[in-house]
Amino acid sequence: MRRALPTVILLCAVCGWGGTLQGQSLLIPTGGRAITSLNGSWNSIVDPYENGYYDYRYEPKADGYFQNRHQSDPSDLVEYDFERSEKLAVPGDWNTQRRELLFYEGTVWYHRQFDYDLPAGRRLFLWVGAANYEALGWLNGEELGGHVGGFTPFWFEITDRVSPAGNDLVFKVDNQRKRDGVPTLNTDWWNYGGLTRDILLMEVPETFISDFTIRLDPDDPDYVLGEVRLDGDPGGQEVEVTIGDTGYGTTLPVDADGSGAFRFPAADLERWSPDDPRLYEVRVTAAGDTAMDRIGFRTVEVRGEEILLNGQPVFLKGVSMHEVSPLGDGRAFRPEDARTLLQWAKDLGCNFVRLAHYPHNRHMTRMADEMGLMIWSEIPVYWTILWENESTYELAERQLQEMIQRDRNRASVVIWSVGNETPRSPERLAFMTRLIGEARRLDSSRLVSAATEVTYEGNTLRLDDPLGRELDVIGANEYLGWYLGGPEDIPDHSWTSEFEKPLVISEFGAGARYDLHGDEGTRWSEEYQAAVYRNQLRMMDGIPFLAGTTAWILVDFRSPRRPLPNVQDFYNRKGLISERGYRKQAFGVLREYYLNRK
Ligand code: GCB
C-alpha cells in the first residue's frame, strides 16, 4: 500500500491559486539515493501579463502555456512555442542571464523535457531546491502543485505521472514582490527571480526513509538521540542506525505511522568544532532503503552572557553574507560558490558566518560542516512585514519549518534567526514570539536569535527591545560611523543591556568603493571604511556581554536601493571584498582583529 507524503493546501491570497505543499515529511537529497539532475538549459517565455495563465477575464485558462502546444496544422493558432524560445540556465536567476531582465519582476515560464524509465516497485520525486518567489508546476500538462517562498525546497511525487520518454515539465515562476509576502515589498537586496537552485529527480523504493534526524542529547551528551520516519508501508519495519565505524548504533521499530525515535550511548564521539570539523557517516537502513549523511556532533548552549560550544565559551568571529556568486554575477548556486565564499570568511579569521537574510542553498551549510564554520541561518522576516495578517504569519512559519527541516542535521548551524530589524510594536512582538516558539518546538538543540532594535540615548546604546526577552542570543545591528556620525565618533559610545544574555552585533560597517582613496573623513573611500572598522572594534572591546559579531558584509551585493553613479551603481558597497573579488583595506583590519581575538 502506498501513502502519499502528507500535504498541506496553501492558497495564495493574492493570485488565487491553491497549491500543495509538503507538510512534515522531509525528503532530502542525501547519499544512498538514486539522484538524476534536471539542471541544464531550459526553454523560457517571459510573460509579464501572465497571458499564458489567465484569459482576458483574468480567469485561469484551461489551455495555458503548461500544455506546451505545438502547431500541428498550418491553420492552427498557437501563440507561443517553448522550443523556439530563448534558453535560461537552471539553476540560476534570470536577471543576470539577460540584460533586459536585470530589473524584471513578473512571470517567466520554464520548460524542459526528460526521459525516465521508472522500474516497477519504485517511486519518483521531483525536488526543487528553490524558486523565487511563487512557483507552479505541471508535468505532461497536469498540475503538480505550487510553492510560495523563494529560499526553501519543495517536491512532488511523480511516480504515477512519469513516462519513459518525452516528459514535459513546465514551471511558472513569478517574483513579483507582495505587501503581504515574506519578505515584503521593501528589502535591500536584489529580487533575483527564477529556478535558482538545483532541480533533481529522486528515485526511492515503495517504502523509504522520508526523514531522519540525529544529534547529541543536550541533557546528556554521552548519548545521541533522534527520529526516523518511513513513508509507504511502514508496518512492522525495523530501522537500523549506525555512526561510521564507531560501533555506535541501534535498531528500532517504527509505529504504524512510520515514525520512530531512538536514543543510545555514544560517549566517545569526537566533537565537531571549527578547529576540528569531524564528521561521521551516519547510515539509516530500513525496508531495503538506505539514507546516508555526513554528520557532526556538538552541543551549543548559553550560560549567562556566554555562548558555549561543546561546553566551552566561544567568541563568534563572524561576517554576514548574501547568497551572491563570488566571482560571477547574481545568485550563488554551486558547491564551488559556497566553498569560495566560506574560504574568504576563513581567510578573514572567522569561525562564524551569518547567512543573511534568508535560507541559503543547501551547499552552503554542508560546506560549512566540512570546512568548520558555525552558521547563523535566517528567514526573510525583514523590516516591515504585515504583522497582523494570519496568512503572512503562516508563510513566515512555513519558511522557518522548511529551513529547519532541511538543515537540522547540520552541525555548523548553531543559531536560527527569526528575523531582521523589525520595528517594535505589540503586533510584531506577538508574531515574532509565535515564530520563536515554533523554532523551539521543531529544534530545541539550537539557539534562537534575531536582529533586534537598539535604543540610542546620547552616547549610550541600550538593548531594551522587548523581543530580547524571548531570544537566547540578542542580535543587534548598528551603523555608528556610517548612518550615525563619522568614524571618529564611535569610540565615545558604550552599551548597556536589560538582558543577562549574550549579544552578537549582527551588523556594523560602512560603504567603500574598491580602489577609491581619500582620507578617513571621505565617504566611500577605503580609508573611511577601514577607520570605521578600527573604531568599531575598539568600542566592542569595551562591551562585557559581547559574545560575537558578524560584520556587514563579506562581498558587495546588488541592491536596487543603491543608485549613486560611479560609486554604488546599484551595489551595496559595504562589502569587505568587491563584487570582482578584490579585498578592501577594512578586510585586513578585521582579519588582524580576529586573528588576535580569543
Ligand atoms: C541593515 C540591513 C541590511 C542592509 C544594511 C545596509 O540594517 O539589515 O539588510 O543591507 O543595513 O547596508 O544599510
Side-chain angles (χ1 to χ4, degrees), residues 332-382:
F333 55 86
R334 290 168 283 244
E336 289 70 22
D337 294 329
R339 187 188 299 283
T340 305
L341 289 167
L342 295 178
Q343 186 56 49
W344 287 351
K346 291 203 101 169
D347 294 348
L348 189 60
C350 293
N351 59 12
F352 183 54
V353 167
R354 176 185 182 205
L355 301 179
H357 283 297
Y358 39 76
H360 288 210
N361 66 63
R362 69 198 164 107
H363 304 302
M364 196 66 97
T365 46
R366 286 186 173 272
M367 200 61 84
D369 271 9
E370 299 279 343
M371 293 173 67
L373 280 158
M374 292 177 281
I375 294 287
W376 158 311
S377 185
E378 184 162 299
I379 52 171
V381 172
Y382 184 91

Side-chain angles (χ1 to χ4, degrees), residues 188 357 382 420-421 477 479 483 507 552 562 572 574:
D188 186 23
H357 283 297
Y382 184 91
N420 179 71
E421 284 184 358
N477 302 345
Y479 282 93
Y483 293 128
E507 287 178 32
W552 191 259
R562 310 291 176 178
N572 182 313
K574 295 193 190 69

Side-chain angles (χ1 to χ4, degrees), residues 86-101:
E86 278 189 81
K87 308 278 185 196
L88 280 172
V90 173
D93 63 86
W94 64 57
N95 313 71
T96 57
Q97 294 191 51
R98 281 191 222 152
R99 217 179 141 69
E100 72 274 19
L101 296 182

